[in-house]
Amino acid sequence: MRYLPHTEEEIRQMLGVIGARSVDDLFSTVPSTLREKAKLDVPPALDEVRLMRHLAELAGQNAGPDMLCFLGAGMYPHHIPPAVDQLLLRSEFYTAYTPYQPEVSQGTLQAIWEFQTMVSELYGLGLSNASLYDGASAAAEGALMARRLTGRPRVLASRCVHPEYRATVATYSAGQDSASGPGEGNYSEVEASSRCGAADQDAIDAALDDATAAVLVGYPSFLGTFADLGPLAERVHARGALLVVVNTEPYALALARSPGSLGADIVAGEGQALACPPQFGGPSLGLFACRHERRYLQQLPGRVCGQTLDQNGESGYVLTLATREQHIRRERATSNICTNQGLLALSFAIRTSLLGRQGFVAVARQCLAKAHYLESRIASLSGYAPLVDGAPFFNEFAVRVRGGDADAVCEKLERQGVIAGLALGRYDAALRHGLLIAVTETHSREDLDRLVALLDAA
């Protein structure tokens, strides 16, 4: 199913112009040891009708959209109304790319500026960028930014942060130089609190040292629980480090205090919940905000759009900052992020605008009420219990399953058309008995009761 836009005659003519005898000759500069010599396992080409039928058959193998789903863990099935897609379908939106020529990109710049304003208000911090690729890369950029701001090499992460986010931060950190050599001693982790699943303040305090640039914690934690960030922020700041907070569920901040108001210096998060459906894991939208200080602005990754006045006193929008390698910074760039998630950032802004402040809180209250109803029902079942008892949570919680094998429970329910949640043994063998369940406003009372009944029968 390989399509080439040129005929054999056109290819022959192009090769003749550059003096190459064949396509293989064109790539002769690539060492033969680096070229694949075996025949590619590519099926023969299909015409358009057969291709469309084949793609439909492949899509039909995806059972996910037709199943009742309680998966979360960083990607949440919130409602995205059709109005969002209809507005995104306007040609000036979905064909627009990076504003390399800002003076003729006023609409794009204004949309990004409004998006940044929403993220700043959400996180309680004065500066926000035009988005990053996803929550995990945003967390890693936050860690690197803290290194630049403090001049210290070490990043300390609580295991209450999503495991995939931690892996991304560790990978980014491994490429940085430190006093002990490239990639050595730049990144370490501390256990989360066994009592609440959130950051363990005493463990972090014990691990902090004068080389620590940043402490990363989840808010809420990977298990969905909350802890007060205020005392932790004070301890981190007392040692000269910065507090980087990771948020995967923006709706939680409709009811919880913003990380910035609790002392966070940098907040990195995932905006998918307000931008698009999970879509089998992607795409997603990285959110990023920090304290409103000049030194933070100079180290902010990606790009920043600003509002100004033109010579006639009318509002205008500009590309205020672009500290990336494709602009003037080159090797001194703060980030190698080459673009922002412009379309998804616009989707985030449209959805948030349609909700308004009251709607945003109303959806969050639905999630909270439904999740607590479901958790209490499951906890009443024989053999089931909360994994972290008594810890406050928003719309996601972990339970200990009957029999101690969450994978087996999930497999049994999948055969009955229900994705029960995330079996935590995927990330930690010691938690193979744990099942992480997420609830959103899209779940009905009947959906919740169906999950309870199936878990009871599992």
Side-chain angles (χ1 to χ4, degrees), residues 27-43:
F27 292 99
S28 61
T29 55
V30 179
S32 60
T33 55
L34 300 179
R35 281 182 276 170
E36 177 61 63
K37 298 179 178 61
K39 187 176 180 180
L40 296 178
D41 184 17
V42 178

Side-chain angles (χ1 to χ4, degrees), residues 198-220:
D200 189 320
Q201 298 190 22
D202 291 334
I204 291 173
D205 196 39
L208 273 168
D209 58 27
D210 293 339
T212 303
V215 173
L216 272 69
V217 298
Y219 184 78

Side-chain angles (χ1 to χ4, degrees), residues 73 159-163 166 191-198 221-225 385-389 397-410 421-437:
R159 290 197 174 97
C160 77
V161 176
H162 194 299
R166 285 187 275 120
E191 291 294 339
S193 170
S194 59
R195 179 184 60 81
C196 67
S221 72
F222 177 57
L223 298 183
T225 58
L387 198 62
V388 282
D389 197 11
F397 58 91
V399 297
R400 185 186 303 270
V401 303
R402 179 193 303 143
D405 189 345
D407 264 325
V409 171
C410 288
L422 175 70
L424 292 171
R426 170 178 178 175
Y427 295 110
D428 186 347
L431 293 177
R432 65 186 302 270
H433 56 275
L435 177 64
L436 187 63
I437 301 171

Side-chain angles (χ1 to χ4, degrees), residues 104-116:
V104 294
S105 302
Q106 287 298 296
T108 298
L109 289 171
Q110 180 178 351
I112 293 174
W113 182 81
E114 293 182 359
F115 163 79
Q116 291 172 180

Side-chain angles (χ1 to χ4, degrees), residues 85-256:
D85 279 344
Q86 288 303 307
L87 290 171
L88 291 177
L89 284 171
R90 291 181 62 91
S91 60
E92 61 264 45
F93 287 147
Y94 73 72
T95 60
Y97 185 54
T98 300
Y100 284 114
Q101 298 159 331
E103 66 278 3
V104 294
S105 302
Q106 287 298 296
T108 298
L109 289 171
Q110 180 178 351
I112 293 174
W113 182 81
E114 293 182 359
F115 163 79
Q116 291 172 180
T117 302
M118 293 173 182
V119 174
S120 288
E121 291 182 354
L122 181 69
Y123 286 164
L125 291 165
L127 288 175
S128 174
N129 69 10
S131 77
L132 295 170
Y133 285 135
D134 55 24
S137 61
E141 292 289 351
L144 297 189
M145 180 177 175
R147 283 170 48 98
R148 295 192 299 271
L149 285 167
T150 62
R152 297 176 173 186
R154 186 170 175 240
V155 174
L156 180 65
S158 167
R159 290 197 174 97
C160 77
V161 176
H162 194 299
E164 293 176 1
Y165 284 46
R166 285 187 275 120
T168 303
V169 175
T171 300
Y172 274 58
S173 298
Q176 305 298 310
D177 292 333
S178 72
S180 56
E184 297 178 14
N186 287 336
Y187 176 83
S188 57
E189 297 181 357
V190 294
E191 291 294 339
S193 170
S194 59
R195 179 184 60 81
C196 67
D200 189 320
Q201 298 190 22
D202 291 334
I204 291 173
D205 196 39
L208 273 168
D209 58 27
D210 293 339
T212 303
V215 173
L216 272 69
V217 298
Y219 184 78
S221 72
F222 177 57
L223 298 183
T225 58
F226 281 88
D228 185 4
L229 295 176
L232 176 61
E234 292 179 2
R235 297 187 189 191
V236 171
H237 294 155
R239 300 297 297 271
L242 302 182
L243 181 62
V244 179
V245 173
V246 177
N247 171 265
T248 58
E249 173 53 284
Y251 276 104
L253 301 181
L255 303 178

